[in-house]
Amino acid sequence: MLKIMKQSIFKIKENIALTDSIFKMVLLGDTSDLRTGQFVNIKLDGFFLRRPISVCDVDKKSLTIIYKIVGEGTEQMSKMTAGEKLDLLTGLGNGYDLTLAGKKNLLVGGGVGIPPLYKLAKDLKGNCTVVLGFNTATEIFYEDEFKALGANVIITTIDGTKGVKGLATDVLKDIDYDYFFACGPEPMLKAVYEQTKTSGQLSFEERMGCGFGACMGCTCKTITGYKRICVEGPVLVKEELVW
Amino acid sequence: MVNAKADAGVYKNTKTRVKTDAVKLGKKTNSKLNTKVILCGVQLDNPIIPASGTFGYGYEFAEFYDINCLGSLSFKGTTREARFGNPTPRIAECESGMINAIGLQNPGIDAVINAELPKLREVFSKPIMANISGFSVEEYAYIAERLDEEEQVEWLEVNISCPNVRGGGMVFGTDSKAAVKVTKAIKAVTTKPVIVKLSPNVTDITEIAKAVEGAGADGVSLINTLIGMRIDLNTKQPIIANTMGGFSGPAVFPIALRMVYQVYEAVKIPIVGIGGVSRAEDVIEMMLAGATAVQIGTANLINPFASKEIVENLLNIMEKYKIKDLKEIIGGAH
């Protein structure tokens, strides 16, 4: 499997708010050798550890990340402006294995787990059903972007302010699919694991030290052995999970 | 072992550029600067050694750069059985540092000998420092004995200072009598130099250093991490699942330097300096305090190229501070 980590400087092209706490940042730099579902690890001035963030979209010159303000680091990121530079490690993690995809693919995303599914939907040429789960209508982002790819998009909100009331996993039983991809908070992933009847791939999140396999900070147990979320993950196939 | 004619590596374009491939090949150069040091009778091309737990078993870093530019490397602390380690989260960020509570995750000595070391040998031709840990004196001795047959392993670094496991590691490093027992048991079964890795979580580190020297240790390495913790303001609970962990990074450098300085005055055996070393200047400071070789730890996790960049920059810094031969500055601050 292609695995090329690079350290390079990216320039911010834009950094805009999608909701109150979710931001989209487009970065210009070396985007060669990136795989869908991988992440980047970002060095921020004044912070010791890098911030691992999944890649939402990639083209020849730029990559897009969508991140939520969850602490002081991401808050500082949200205040950065076009033209500022960031030190990134790119090409991290295994990414999705598209050779395993089915004919009728289901993508399930929750909150900031949604971004990496966008490039995946693009790779699938929009030929997929996408379930996007949010807490409430004001937190919804990228609905139109997924629709523009031609995907069949289903929105769920926990409070019912838009789309189907409930969790993303509540609508799965009514969808016809033969393979799935999921990314979101761990309780959502566990519900997807329990409620899906086909094989699929799930993308995980964990606190990381390095992001490239050296510190062993993000290890999890699988039936095929211990795996580092940052190297053997973040994408794990359903059959190897211990749940 | 090493070509006696080989000099410290090429130093071209004297202001800024260092030709690293010559450094790693140890070719004779036009440079008069010497980075070679001798650690417990074994020569290193330079004193830079990635620290255990920050470099895996080395071969994965070989995907990023040619790791033969390094003096040596100390591999991930290895126990008799495979270990998963502690639950996650295992990592917490700090000002100028981080806390880890990995808990000695490693594949066990059999897998290290049969799978990890062969992979490392393919990409690394320098002497290897084998970091070993255990939960009993017998376990330490068993692993030491197993590694005695591994030719490329030139030193055993005995971790009696892991703060992240119960009933092992640091239990042996905070009690002189236990440290002596482990050291003696290992010395009895190995022909390789034994370097005992010391804990800073003691009142007087020189006491343990003197004890292991008396027990036959060939060297000491210090410091392991300092016990620390962080609390998440949102959950009001410790960030680390194991509550506490080992604090490392640039913030601990002055403490590590002080301890190296103290231990240098207390023992005659060589010292490997560890703790927050992040740049070539820090390496020089560590050596002036008394270190014969210097390990780079947490810096590798922030910048995967850190050890390589420190090796490359070492010659610049030597020239800047008019140091011709690194081994001559060891303990120079005393």
Side-chain angles (χ1 to χ4, degrees), chain A residues 19-24 53 65-71 73-75 77-78 111-112 115 135 139 141:
Chain A
T19 73
D20 284 350
S21 64
I22 293 185
F23 284 73
K24 171 186 173 182
I53 297 175
I65 54 171
I66 291 176
Y67 60 95
K68 183 177 184 176
I69 298 179
V70 291
T74 38
E75 187 174 350
M77 259 178 81
S78 72
V112 275
N135 290 313
E139 292 181 6
F141 65 91

Side-chain angles (χ1 to χ4, degrees), chain A residues 49-51 216 219 228, chain B residues 60 88 90 93 105 302:
Chain A
L49 296 177
R50 292 171 180 266
R51 265 58 185 169
M216 308 284 167
T219 309
R228 296 162 293 184
Chain B
E60 286 183 308
T88 56
R90 299 173 171 182
E93 185 179 43
Q105 181 186 342
I302 308 307

Side-chain angles (χ1 to χ4, degrees), chain B residues 72-285:
Chain B
S72 169
L73 67 82
S74 179
F75 65 56
K76 175 77 187 157
T78 296
T79 52
R80 182 164 49 198
E81 265 77 51
R83 284 180 54 83
F84 173 69
N86 291 324
T88 56
R90 299 173 171 182
I91 302 286
E93 185 179 43
C94 306
E95 193 77 23
S96 292
M98 62 180 276
I99 294 170
N100 88 80
I102 308 303
L104 291 176
Q105 181 186 342
N106 80 91
I109 187 65
D110 286 337
V112 167
I113 288 173
N114 298 326
E116 306 292 327
L117 285 179
K119 279 190 238 173
L120 176 55
R121 266 197 294 275
E122 280 180 27
V123 292
F124 192 58
S125 59
K126 297 296 180 74
I128 295 167
M129 188 175 286
N131 187 288
I132 63 173
S133 201
F135 292 80
S136 66
V137 172
E138 292 71 30
E139 182 177 356
Y140 278 103
Y142 173 79
I143 305 162
E145 199 170 0
R146 292 289 306 277
L147 286 166
D148 203 45
E149 296 143 27
E150 292 299 313
E151 269 184 34
Q152 204 176 341
V153 170
E154 290 283 4
W155 312 268
L156 298 179
E157 183 178 49
V158 183
N159 179 4
I160 57 165
S161 43
C162 177
N164 292 321
V165 293
R166 287 202 175 86
M170 209 174 83
V171 166
F172 298 98
T174 51
D175 171 11
S176 298
K177 281 180 194 161
V180 163
K181 263 190 202 165
V182 171
T183 307
K184 281 186 175 167
I186 291 172
K187 282 298 289 181
V189 296
T190 186
T191 55
K192 298 185 190 297
V194 172
I195 295 172
V196 181
K197 186 167 180 178
L198 304 181
S199 172
N201 303 301
V202 291
T203 310
D204 181 4
I205 197 167
T206 65
E207 186 193 319
I208 312 281
K210 282 187 278 193
V212 298
E213 181 184 42
D218 301 282
V220 284
S221 60
L222 59 136
I223 57 177
N224 205 319
T225 53
L226 293 135
I227 298 175
M229 71 179 289
R230 293 302 303 269
I231 293 171
D232 186 318
L233 295 181
N234 289 312
T235 65
K236 319 277 191 290
Q237 291 298 309
I239 292 175
I240 300 270
N242 215 28
T243 307
M244 287 171 242
F247 180 43
S248 64
V252 312
F253 177 71
I255 300 169
L257 189 73
R258 179 264 291 181
M259 290 190 171
V260 167
Y261 187 91
Q262 288 175 316
V263 169
Y264 184 80
E265 304 223 322
V267 301
K268 293 191 174 62
I269 51 177
I271 300 165
V272 180
I274 319 167
V277 176
S278 310
R279 10 172 251 158
E281 288 89 336
D282 300 344
V283 173
I284 304 292
E285 269 194 71

